[in-house]
Amino acid sequence: MIPISRPYTDQEELQEIEKVLKSGWLGLGSVVQEFEKEIEKYLGSGYVIAVNTGTSALHIALDAAGIGKGDEVIVPSLTFCAGIEAILATGATPVFCDIEVDTLNIDIDDVETKITSKTKAIMPVHYCGNPCEMDRLLKLGRQKNILIVEDAAHAFGSIYKGKKIGSFGDITCFSFDPIKNITCGEGGAVVVHNDDLADVIRKKRNLGIDREAWSRYHGKKPWYYEVTVMGYRYHMSNINAAIGLVQLKRLEQFIKRKREIVKRYNEAFSGIKGIALLKWNLNEIAPFSYMMRITNGKRDELIDYLGEHGIGSGVHYIPNHLQPLFKSDAQSLPITEYVWKEIITLPLFFEMKDEEADFVIDTILNFLK
Ligand SMILES: *Cc1c(COP(=O)(O)O)cnc(C)c1O
């Protein structure tokens, strides 16, 4: 079976995990701090706070920004349900918006029609690693006093107009779950550019415990702490950070190989009747996954056919405004509602061989014949 995705790890990750286990300090500690520093160096700008999942990164970011009951957050419906549940967890209301058909990214024209006096944040998703129009979003946010909280779960390593995603903007949230551009096993990070906000997030990730409080006693009572804000148990552990540190060194290699496979798919599928490709700027995108559209109405059949031939594929994602939990008073979103019936996610991972990609390609072309 060729899976949709598979993380790459080897002996090096094992060695680093072993070091942490032998150190006796498994939880939040110096390895997490080192991981944060390395990401800060990689991005070149911003304060990085490592957390235990991408979902908690989104939740803690909104929470620390003061978003809650009575507030609205505009979010594309076509995204992982994590973003929606993070918004709901703060007490705020998700307001679903539509997407652009060629990138599956947020449709900013539609966003503008959904802004109300209650809108406090917009949560764009950089689909498949392809950055949204950040200049326009950030400008809109500044004009209307609305925060842009990027769900950059797909986009660690992607570049927008020469700048790394996360190195600019208001708040950027990354995921390091097993299938993301790099993994910590499970993990996430929030990047901000304001040290007060960074401090709040750092406290909130560990139950609001203020580690600085003891210093007011001039170190005489090192056991002393104060709980100053409501928080969560969202911190990253040294074990996960150890994996992430090795993965970070592999990132450029991962990006290079995945770009090659995307190029191979794009070349084989371009101009084929029944297939519509997404727009890819492969000089800048760190490709998270490979998605395209099957426009002849046979997407579901194709998924079955690929399965019969030992090829994994899937649909990312089922629109959230159609989900039983979220659909309450959602309006219709025309692009999302037809595009989700056409999208298919194909295998894409670092260790994938050219022959495997060719087998996926040939199987799809055979099906469409
Ligand atoms: C993976 C993902 C998340 C959540 O990240 P986890 O680390 O799995 O919690 C959020 N949004 C999108 C778009 C994702 O793909």
Side-chain angles (χ1 to χ4, degrees):
M1 186 82 182
I2 305 175
I4 297 184
S5 184
R6 188 198 297 145
Y8 178 81
T9 59
D10 66 23
Q11 212 53 35
E12 237 188 296
E13 278 85 352
L14 269 181
Q15 275 167 13
E16 295 306 311
I17 293 169
E18 193 179 1
K19 276 190 210 161
V20 171
L21 295 178
K22 286 184 171 158
S23 79
W25 196 289
L26 315 192
L28 176 61
S30 62
V31 188
V32 175
Q33 216 167 23
E34 193 187 337
F35 182 55
E36 292 172 337
K37 288 285 162 274
E38 286 303 315
I39 297 177
E40 283 173 5
K41 248 196 267 172
Y42 173 75
L43 295 176
S45 163
Y47 302 92
V48 172
I49 303 101
V51 291
N52 58 353
T53 65
T55 307
S56 17
L58 291 165
H59 177 224
I60 208 169
L62 295 168
D63 180 86
I67 288 158
K69 203 164 186 302
D71 298 335
E72 292 177 353
V73 179
I74 301 177
V75 60
S77 170
L78 196 76
T79 182
F80 189 39
C81 56
I84 318 311
E85 294 188 39
I87 296 166
L88 285 170
T90 68
T93 305
V95 174
F96 295 113
C97 71
D98 220 339
I99 48 169
E100 288 177 346
V101 68
D102 55 349
T103 55
L104 308 180
N105 277 345
I106 194 162
D107 176 348
I108 305 174
D109 289 334
D110 190 48
V111 169
E112 292 193 78
T113 70
K114 289 182 168 134
I115 292 176
T116 71
S117 59
K118 292 181 184 167
T119 309
K120 289 288 152 54
I122 301 168
M123 187 186 283
V125 181
H126 306 303
Y127 231 83
C128 296
N130 183 27
C132 299
E133 276 182 72
M134 286 305 293
D135 282 351
R136 193 175 157 201
L137 275 169
L138 289 167
K139 191 166 159 223
L140 179 67
R142 271 175 212 133
Q143 278 167 356
K144 309 257 180 188
N145 200 22
I146 295 170
L147 209 59
I148 310 301
V149 180
E150 291 161 76
D151 180 344
H154 294 187
F156 190 71
S158 279
I159 290 167
Y160 173 76
K161 294 190 177 171
K163 295 175 289 187
K164 289 198 178 98
I165 289 293
S167 70
F168 64 98
D170 295 336
I171 305 185
T172 310
C173 299
F174 291 115
S175 162
F176 307 123
D177 82 15
I179 62 162
K180 296 294 160 54
N181 293 0
I182 61 166
T183 187
C184 291
E186 295 284 359
V190 186
V191 191
V192 295
H193 303 271
N194 165 321
D195 60 348
D196 290 333
L197 186 56
D199 277 350
V200 175
I201 297 172
R202 219 165 261 131
K203 277 180 216 159
K204 278 181 175 283
R205 79 167 160 188
N206 191 15
L207 298 171
I209 293 172
D210 191 341
R211 291 182 291 120
E212 309 294 297
W214 70 269
S215 65
R216 288 200 286 275
Y217 285 84
H218 310 291
K220 279 182 202 147
K221 298 180 182 178
W223 43 263
Y224 187 75
Y225 63 86
E226 280 176 5
V227 182
T228 53
V229 290
M230 167 66 192
Y232 309 92
R233 198 69 172 151
Y234 277 178
H235 61 278
M236 180 176 275
S237 80
N238 273 356
I239 298 172
N240 295 103
I243 300 172
L245 276 164
V246 180
Q247 291 270 306
L248 195 55
K249 289 191 283 181
R250 304 190 193 279
L251 176 64
E252 291 311 318
Q253 224 185 321
F254 287 169
I255 292 174
K256 182 168 173 280
R257 178 60 188 146
K258 284 167 86 181
R259 278 180 181 161
E260 285 169 5
I261 301 164
V262 169
K263 198 160 161 253
R264 201 175 189 91
Y265 278 146
N266 279 348
E267 278 166 7
F269 293 135
S270 103
I272 301 291
K273 203 164 168 280
I275 295 179
L277 299 182
L278 298 190
K279 224 162 58 179
W280 297 85
N281 174 359
L282 285 179
N283 296 321
E284 299 210 312
I285 299 175
F288 161 59
S289 61
Y290 190 87
M291 298 188 202
M292 61 181 190
R293 289 163 42 223
I294 300 298
T295 54
N296 63 3
K298 296 196 170 151
R299 191 269 319 264
D300 296 5
E301 277 172 63
L302 174 58
I303 290 176
D304 291 342
Y305 183 81
L306 289 172
E308 285 159 19
H309 289 79
I311 298 168
S313 63
V315 177
H316 298 94
Y317 302 89
I318 315 290
N320 286 292
H321 75 290
L322 307 177
Q323 293 290 358
L325 184 63
F326 315 129
K327 67 183 176 195
S328 57
D329 52 7
Q331 301 149 307
S332 85
L333 302 167
I335 309 279
T336 301
E337 278 162 34
Y338 87 78
V339 155
W340 90 266
K341 293 181 184 145
E342 297 186 341
I343 50 174
I344 182 166
T345 307
L346 301 181
L348 176 66
F349 49 93
F350 173 65
E351 284 181 286
M352 192 173 182
K353 297 188 176 65
D354 284 349
E355 302 82 71
E356 290 176 309
D358 290 343
F359 178 60
V360 174
I361 290 165
D362 292 342
T363 309
I364 292 174
L365 296 182
N366 264 335
F367 173 84
L368 289 172
K369 249 199 272 179

